[in-house]
Structure formats: C-alpha cells, structure tokens
Amino acid sequence: MMNVNKKVVIVGASGYSGAELASLIAKHPNFSLSGCYVSEQSLDKNKSLSQLYPEHGVLLDTPLLPLTEHAFLDINEQADFVCLCTDHQVSVELAPKFLAMGKKVFDLSGGYRLASSADYEQYYGFSHPYPHWLEQAEYGLAEWNAQAISQAQLVAVAGCYPTAALNALKPLKQADLLADQQVIINAVSGVTGAGRKASLNTHFCEVSLAPYGLFKHRHTPEISQYLGHDVLFTPHLGNFARGILETIYIQLKPEVTPPQVDEAYQVLADEPLIRLKGAQLPSIKSVAGQPFVDIGWQQQGQQLIVVVAIDNLLKGAAGQALQCMNLACALNSEQGLKGAW
Ligand SMILES: NC(=O)C1=CN([C@@H]2O[C@H](COP(=O)(O)OP(=O)(O)OC[C@H]3O[C@@H](n4cnc5c(N)ncnc54)[C@H](OP(=O)(O)O)[C@@H]3O)[C@@H](O)[C@H]2O)C=CC1
Ligand SMILES: CC(=O)N[C@@H](CCC(=O)OP(=O)(O)O)C(=O)O
C-alpha cells in the first residue's frame, strides 16, 4: 500500500452526508479526521458527533467545532483536504476560501456541478458568483471521470439522483444505442436525501409516496449535461430512510439487439462498486447502507427499461466523495469502501 496519510476536514459534519463521511474517514487506513465543523450559530456546536449519532460510538468521539475566523486559521495550518457537506449556497461561498489556501476541496453540494451560469439562475435560483471556479471544477462521477478528478483542486461530487442515472445511461450513450427521444427517469428517494434539518415535507406524519419538482428539479440539467442527451426526470419522496431507486424508460435505435445492450454494459464490468444484474432487477434493500450501484435491465423490441439502485448517502454522497479523495491520492477508488461490506 502507498504511504499516504492525508488530514481531512469536514464542514457540515453534523448532517447526514457529513456524518457518513466522517465515519468513512475515521475507518480509512490513509486518511485521518483533522476537524469536524458546523456553522458558527449551530445548536450542535461543541457536541460530539457520537452524541448525535450514537451508532458510531467512540469512533466519532470528536467535537463539532463552530466554523469561526479562528477555525479557518486552524484549517489552513492542519488540513490537506476539505470536504463541504453543506447546502449549495454555503458551499459556493466557502469553497473559494479553502481553495485560496491551496487546499483540495471536495464539495458534496450542487454548487459547482453545472457548466452554465444560466442553469444556476433557472434551477438553483441564484446567480453564480464565482464563474472562474465553476470552470475549474471537475465533476466527481468516480467511474467516469477518474483522470480529471485525480488532478483537480475542486471536485464537484456528483448528485445523488444523477449518480444513479448516469451510471445506468452512460454505457448506452457511449455505445450509441439511444434513439433521439428524451429518456424518461422516474426516481424514488428515501427521506435522508432531504438532509437532517426539520421540515414539514419530511415530517414523519406527512411523508407518503409522492412526486415533487416536476420539470424543474436541478438534477435535470445535471443529468442532461453529463449524459449529452435530453431527459425527463421526476423524483419522488418515499417513506423509507435511505436509498434511491430509478426506473428509466429508453427508446433504443432501430435494430439494437439485447446482446448489444449487454455488451454496452460491459464497460462497467470491472468496476468494483458497480454490480451488473442483467435481467435481475435491483431493489433498495440490496443497496441501502452499502457503497454499490446495482443496475438491471430488460428489453422488449426497441423499448428498454433500466432499473438502478444506490444508497443516497454512500454512493450518492459520502461514498463517492471518498472515491474521489482516493483518486486524488492515486489509491484504488474503492479503498475504505469495498472491504467494509
Ligand atoms: N442527503 C443526501 O442524500 C445527499 C446530500 N447531498 C448534498 O450534500 C450537502 C449536505 O447534505 P445533507 O448532509 O443532506 O445536509 P444536512 O442538512 O443533513 O446537513 C447540513 C450540514 O451543514 C451544516 N451547516 C449549515 N450551514 C452551515 C454553515 N454556514 N457553515 C458550516 N456548516 C453549516 C449543518 O449544521 P448546522 O446547521 O447545525 O450548522 C449540517 O451539519 C447538500 O448540499 C446536499 O444537497 C448530496 C448528495 C446526497
Ligand atoms: C429526497 C430529497 O429531497 N432529495 C434531494 C436531493 C438530494 C441532494 O442532496 O441533492 P444533491 O445531490 O444535488 O446535493 C432533493 O430532491 O433536493
């Protein structure tokens, strides 16, 4: 094993993706946690992570520090990598500060994922203040952009729904099997996808199974941009804690045969965190709490239905962020992930 030892800071460590990432870092042979931060006003400041997440026990007996001016000085001195597990606009403002210190930044939000400033206005509701960094950011879709991720100073870790959709669709696009029609993606996410903060939509008594964000969800341009194909994406919130399942409806080009589709997926056959299921269809149960992407498909004539499942907090957030950090250190991207399951 290479002699790598990187000190990692997590900002937003009390949130669902931040705590998951802290737990992965604490167990990783080449990384150590050098600081876990929350906002200056946080109700959780100075609590320990294990107080909030007792399931992690002493492993995360580390304090949640407020991100004060002094904290920035500490981070400048101590950290190699900074992971932002914060809301988009918080990440947009924080990233340039850490980049100016020369840190490598791994942003789990959507703040640096899209190429177009106009898309930020339309889908995120703000005008992007740092187009220079937007241009520099590399998209953190580990299996598809490893070389760029390994060199980048700013990695915009891919979104949860896009991670599932892109791994399911890019093999078909790359093999030129998709007809021109829009691809239709129906997705269901568990409630941890909405983060830890309280809101009426995620209240236990309110959660059911319901669609949201029709035509305007911010993951529509993210999937289209990195697939190079139009998609109609509809997310749903389901009444379970974690996991994403997407059912994807595809019109294939004329004459495309099932063996050609099977062959297209072989591009992912050697990826340690991707499990190709063929005609066996994935479910949330087989991926929840695990770092994998499960992909299954069935074809009838020129219609293809692909079903893909991931855990939103692992492959959809913290697990993929860890893959990107591994790539930045020339480690195997699954280091600290695969052996644990
Ligand atoms: N949950 C998921 O499945 C996924 C989430 N993401 C993205 O990752 C990011 C985090 O998501 P998630 O973990 O769900 O969010 P949470 O709401 O669970 O956590 C947000 C964290 O940010 C902290 N925080 C808020 N404001 C600030 C600030 N100004 N400075 C420092 N820390 C701050 C919060 O603590 P406090 O408010 O107490 O300060 C908390 O620790 C988001 O951008 C989300 O879109 C990406 C993929 C999947
Ligand atoms: C269930 C739920 O609310 N999910 C979130 C998406 C999860 C997420 O955090 O989005 P990013 O991957 O872009 O960061 C949503 O639809 O806004």
Side-chain angles (χ1 to χ4, degrees):
M1 185 171 300
M2 291 177 64
N3 188 16
V4 171
N5 188 4
K6 296 288 182 195
K7 296 194 187 70
V8 180
V9 152
I10 299 182
V11 182
S14 68
Y16 285 148
S17 60
E20 199 72 37
L21 187 55
S23 153
L24 292 174
I25 300 288
K27 290 181 277 193
H28 196 286
N30 304 96
F31 300 144
S32 53
L33 270 179
S34 92
C36 284
Y37 291 90
V38 288
S39 63
E40 230 179 318
Q41 313 74 25
S42 176
L43 296 175
D44 293 320
K45 68 183 170 196
N46 302 318
K47 291 181 187 167
S48 72
L49 251 177
S50 47
Q51 245 176 296
L52 269 55
Y53 296 92
E55 62 272 31
H56 293 306
V58 287
L59 181 66
L60 293 181
D61 218 356
T62 174
L64 290 163
L65 303 169
L67 192 61
T68 57
E69 283 308 314
H70 192 267
F72 281 96
L73 300 177
D74 288 344
I75 294 171
N76 192 13
E77 262 177 39
Q78 289 160 22
D80 299 304
F81 292 170
V82 176
C83 299
L84 301 177
C85 302
T86 40
D87 182 64
H88 318 295
Q89 276 185 276
V90 174
S91 285
V92 163
E93 291 303 331
L94 287 178
K97 297 185 204 262
F98 296 117
L99 291 163
M101 295 175 189
K103 307 299 174 193
K104 277 196 190 256
V105 174
F106 299 84
D107 178 21
L108 279 72
S109 87
Y112 286 91
R113 290 183 199 145
L114 301 180
S116 148
S117 297
D119 278 346
Y120 276 99
E121 285 175 29
Q122 182 177 346
Y123 290 95
Y124 283 77
F126 64 86
S127 149
H128 205 290
Y130 303 109
H132 164 72
W133 281 117
L134 200 53
E135 250 174 57
Q136 302 289 311
E138 292 292 350
Y139 190 54
L141 187 67
E143 281 73 12
W144 294 91
N145 205 21
Q147 177 62 28
I149 293 167
S150 69
Q151 305 297 320
Q153 197 192 345
L154 172 57
V155 176
V157 180
C160 50
Y161 291 120
T163 292
L166 291 168
N167 277 298
L169 286 165
K170 280 177 88 66
L172 304 169
K173 180 71 184 178
Q174 191 167 286
D176 198 21
L177 305 186
L178 302 179
D180 287 342
Q181 284 97 323
Q182 265 186 337
V183 167
I184 297 176
I185 305 170
N186 278 334
V188 189
S189 170
V191 185
T192 53
R196 184 167 177 264
K197 65 203 163 302
S199 84
L200 188 59
N201 286 347
T202 56
H203 186 296
F204 182 80
C205 301
E206 300 294 327
V207 171
S208 169
L209 173 59
Y212 64 100
L214 271 62
F215 298 112
K216 60 175 197 290
H217 195 280
R218 64 185 186 283
H219 288 172
T220 300
E222 186 177 332
I223 299 168
S224 297
Q225 178 183 322
Y226 291 103
L227 181 61
H229 202 95
D230 265 1
V231 300
L232 181 58
F233 167 70
T234 308
H236 299 67
L237 185 69
N239 62 353
F240 51 92
R242 53 198 287 173
I244 284 178
L245 185 97
E246 299 183 1
T247 304
I248 305 180
Y249 305 89
I250 295 153
Q251 187 69 29
L252 295 165
K253 284 191 165 163
E255 317 293 328
V256 172
T257 61
Q260 279 177 281
V261 170
D262 294 351
E263 180 59 31
Y265 279 112
Q266 287 308 299
V267 70
L268 290 172
D270 295 330
E271 291 295 345
L273 298 182
I274 306 243
R275 300 189 297 201
L276 299 175
K277 302 288 197 180
Q280 189 194 337
L281 300 179
S283 68
I284 295 277
K285 188 177 166 204
S286 53
V287 293
Q290 302 194 28
F292 301 106
V293 184
D294 283 2
I295 307 173
W297 61 92
Q298 291 182 20
Q299 182 177 347
Q300 188 170 275
Q302 297 322 104
Q303 288 184 317
L304 179 71
I305 301 183
V306 181
V307 180
V308 56
I310 61 167
D311 181 291
N312 55 301
L313 295 178
L314 282 165
K315 184 64 193 179
Q320 184 147 250
L322 194 75
Q323 284 185 277
C324 294
M325 293 158 73
N326 284 330
L327 291 169
C329 298
L331 297 167
N332 290 333
S333 91
E334 73 277 15
Q335 174 88 333
L337 284 165
K338 189 146 189 233
W341 283 270

